[in-house]
Amino acid sequence: MSRFAVMTMTDAAAARVKAILAAKGPDALGVRVGVKKGGCAGMEYTIDLATEKKPNEDLIEKDGARVLVAPEAVLFLLGTEMDYEETVLRSGFTFKNPNQTSACGCGESVELKQADLAAMAGAGAGNAVGQAG
């Protein structure tokens, strides 16, 4: 029986996570994704190195890349796709999050609502893009 994944990650995100973990050595378990209050839109995505799994964290794995989702962020991140992009001006993880209602002009902060579990069970949701720098 398969378990629902809180988030998914693209091949590009998995490759970047694996590169980060390889550079940090054997103590690096994965990267931890969460949200915090801040920025002009109200919330920001957070990405930190994880050396251990905390209680109630979800673990997302793809091709050897490990992402832990902070339990307090789960309802804001349900259905999110994590990606990694490099452009001329910036590189970083991006998030296609159906729970995002708006973002600030610079793309560093977002407005998020908690996932509507009933709607998710009934139908797919559209995607919006936010970035974590």
Side-chain angles (χ1 to χ4, degrees), residues 8-20 47 81-87 90-96 130-133:
T8 59
M9 66 180 119
T10 64
D11 292 341
R16 182 62 184 146
V17 168
K18 284 194 316 190
I20 290 169
I47 300 176
E81 179 185 69
M82 182 177 170
D83 195 6
Y84 181 79
E85 68 177 22
E86 292 185 21
T87 68
R90 73 173 301 278
S91 63
F93 290 103
T94 62
F95 297 90
K96 294 179 182 112
Q131 299 181 352

Side-chain angles (χ1 to χ4, degrees), residues 16-104:
R16 182 62 184 146
V17 168
K18 284 194 316 190
I20 290 169
L21 298 180
K24 296 300 181 182
D27 290 339
L29 174 65
V31 296
R32 180 172 288 113
V33 175
V35 295
K36 69 176 184 177
K37 291 184 179 188
C40 53
M43 297 186 96
E44 297 173 334
Y45 294 104
T46 62
I47 300 176
D48 300 300
L49 186 66
T51 56
E52 63 183 13
K53 187 174 185 294
K54 295 180 180 176
N56 301 318
E57 280 188 319
D58 281 274
L59 176 63
I60 312 303
E61 293 185 274
K62 179 176 183 167
D63 301 329
R66 294 177 305 279
V67 173
L68 296 118
V69 180
E72 63 276 5
V74 166
L75 285 179
F76 295 104
L77 296 176
L78 278 173
T80 296
E81 179 185 69
M82 182 177 170
D83 195 6
Y84 181 79
E85 68 177 22
E86 292 185 21
T87 68
V88 175
L89 299 176
R90 73 173 301 278
S91 63
F93 290 103
T94 62
F95 297 90
K96 294 179 182 112
N97 186 340
N99 308 305
Q100 181 176 316
T101 57
S102 67
C104 68

